[in-house]
Amino acid sequence: MKNVLVIGSTGQIGSELTMELRKRYNGNIVAGYIPGAEPKGELLESGPSAIVDITNEQQIAETVSKYNIDTIYNLAALLSAVAEAKPQLAWKIGMGGLFNVLEVAREMHCAVFTPSSIGVFGNNTPKDKTPQDTIRNPRTMYGVTKVSGELLSDYYHIRFGVDTRSVRFPGLISNVTPPGGGTTDYAVDIYYAAVQKGYFECPIAKGTFMDMMYMPDALRAAIELMEVDPTRLQHRNSFNIASMSFDPEIICSAIKKRLPDFKMEYKVDPLRQAIADSWPNSLDDTCAREEWGWQPEYDLESMTDDMLKVLTGRLK
Ligand code: SER
């Protein structure tokens, strides 16, 4: 039996991860949320939920104790563009929150998964096939919290034996809960715009390559990494994982192949563009493949087929 607390369960990753965990495990899979972002529908009805504000250590500890939690998925964060608008809050949630989670995990013997990101890299990092162990010098608050989070999570593992694990997510593309304020979000918005309006104004410039991943692969990565025998892990916080890399032109043509009337124009957002320019074009995920058997299932073509099928069915 596995008892899991998902902090940030109503967000882009959490809303789907919580449901996937409930499918796979029959223990308590607790949907942690903050007031104003309550779980609804199936997420609310299919299992327990609790108010868990990551900035409140006491609340985390009480929920861990009440549901006998053994694993915490810590998904609370502000995405990159929002974090630039609210850097103090981004630090409070990203680092203060992580510290609370790690302290509870240390005292109450929980394993912890915290997503990291391609945002840990910066302008001095090798851009193509970015290695697992390389320069991490981000200049965004999002990246600063993610690098610090990787270091703190490794510290808690080495110093206190807390079972901390993490992956560096690329841009995540999904059709369930929209992301909010990320630099890679254009690659989600473009599918909604294609189905609803046949037209998309792209905030990221032609030729800007970033790693992306379809949500089903991202959920599998988060679950499979937490299940792997720890003796296989040489790295912990955090693994490069990858499945596809494209620029706006490439995703646009994948959509046009299926919706020939689709049109895209550029209206570049300087803030997001500067962030995107500082991130890698593509990651080398050899370590994840070797240490825990990471293998993506979706590429741009199969993801585009699925996104358009699901969104057309729902929105048209
Ligand atoms: N999707 C995130 C963002 O764009 C990157 O991890 O902020």
Side-chain angles (χ1 to χ4, degrees):
M1 197 153 95
K2 228 175 162 28
N3 295 323
V4 183
L5 168 61
V6 181
I7 299 180
S9 69
T10 57
Q12 190 204 11
I13 303 174
S15 55
E16 291 188 62
L17 182 68
T18 309
M19 294 308 297
E20 188 59 33
L21 291 165
R22 285 178 179 163
K23 266 187 234 154
R24 291 189 187 219
Y25 306 128
N26 58 12
N28 295 319
I29 308 296
V30 183
Y33 65 94
I34 49 169
E38 286 80 6
K40 297 192 179 77
E42 218 191 341
L43 185 59
L44 175 67
E45 282 144 26
S46 60
S49 50
I51 295 181
V52 180
D53 180 340
I54 196 161
T55 62
N56 183 335
E57 187 182 332
Q58 181 71 21
Q59 235 168 40
I60 304 169
E62 278 166 13
T63 308
V64 165
S65 158
K66 178 171 173 194
Y67 292 99
N68 210 10
I69 296 296
D70 52 67
T71 305
I72 302 173
Y73 279 85
N74 161 25
L75 306 179
L78 298 188
L79 289 182
S80 55
V82 180
E84 284 315 291
K86 301 175 184 171
Q88 295 81 1
L89 183 62
W91 179 266
K92 193 174 167 197
I93 293 173
M95 285 311 295
L98 173 63
F99 188 75
N100 291 339
V101 169
L102 290 171
E103 271 299 289
V104 171
R106 178 179 71 79
E107 283 170 3
M108 302 173 88
H109 310 290
C110 302
V112 178
F113 175 89
T114 305
S116 188
S117 162
I118 52 174
V120 296
F121 299 116
N123 283 316
N124 298 339
T125 307
K127 285 242 174 277
D128 295 301
K129 290 273 158 206
T130 302
Q132 169 69 37
D133 300 311
T134 186
I135 300 165
R136 290 170 294 172
N137 68 333
R139 294 286 181 263
T140 61
M141 181 48 98
Y142 181 68
V144 168
T145 61
K146 290 298 184 190
V147 175
S148 313
E150 290 188 1
L151 295 172
L152 190 65
S153 299
D154 271 341
Y155 176 82
Y156 266 71
H157 174 64
I158 294 160
R159 177 81 167 77
F160 302 119
V162 179
D163 185 357
T164 54
R165 308 183 189 190
S166 169
V167 296
R168 293 178 182 138
F169 278 132
L172 298 183
I173 296 167
S174 64
N175 52 52
V176 177
T177 306
T183 302
T184 55
D185 294 1
Y186 89 89
V188 178
D189 299 340
I190 193 171
Y191 287 110
Y192 281 82
V195 170
Q196 290 180 306
K197 299 184 281 191
Y199 169 76
F200 181 59
E201 213 164 65
C202 187
I204 297 294
K206 188 173 174 167
T208 310
F209 279 78
M210 286 184 278
D211 261 319
M212 302 280 178
M213 183 173 288
Y214 199 30
M215 189 59 90
D217 276 336
L219 302 180
R220 239 179 359 88
I223 294 172
E224 286 175 9
L225 174 59
M226 293 311 282
E227 283 184 344
V228 78
D229 172 0
T231 59
R232 290 181 59 189
L233 299 178
Q234 275 152 44
H235 295 83
R236 278 177 170 270
N237 302 283
S238 173
F239 283 95
N240 282 2
I241 55 169
S243 64
M244 61 186 100
S245 166
F246 54 74
D247 85 325
E249 291 291 303
I250 296 174
I251 187 172
C252 177
S253 13
I255 294 173
K256 254 181 185 300
K257 243 202 270 177
R258 291 148 177 98
L259 301 173
D261 293 336
F262 176 59
K263 290 203 170 33
M264 182 174 85
E265 281 176 328
Y266 289 95
K267 191 174 175 208
V268 173
D269 168 9
L271 170 67
R272 281 171 212 245
Q273 186 60 42
I275 296 175
D277 286 338
S278 75
W279 288 354
N281 298 332
S282 63
L283 299 191
D284 177 353
D285 62 358
T286 310
C287 287
R289 288 174 190 253
E290 287 178 358
E291 291 178 37
W292 49 280
W294 160 245
Q295 188 73 54
E297 284 173 4
Y298 284 89
D299 60 11
L300 177 61
E301 296 301 327
S302 51
M303 176 178 78
T304 301
D305 281 338
D306 200 52
M307 281 296 282
L308 293 179
K309 191 174 108 205
V310 173
L311 292 179
T312 305
R314 188 181 339 132
L315 303 173
K316 276 221 152 174

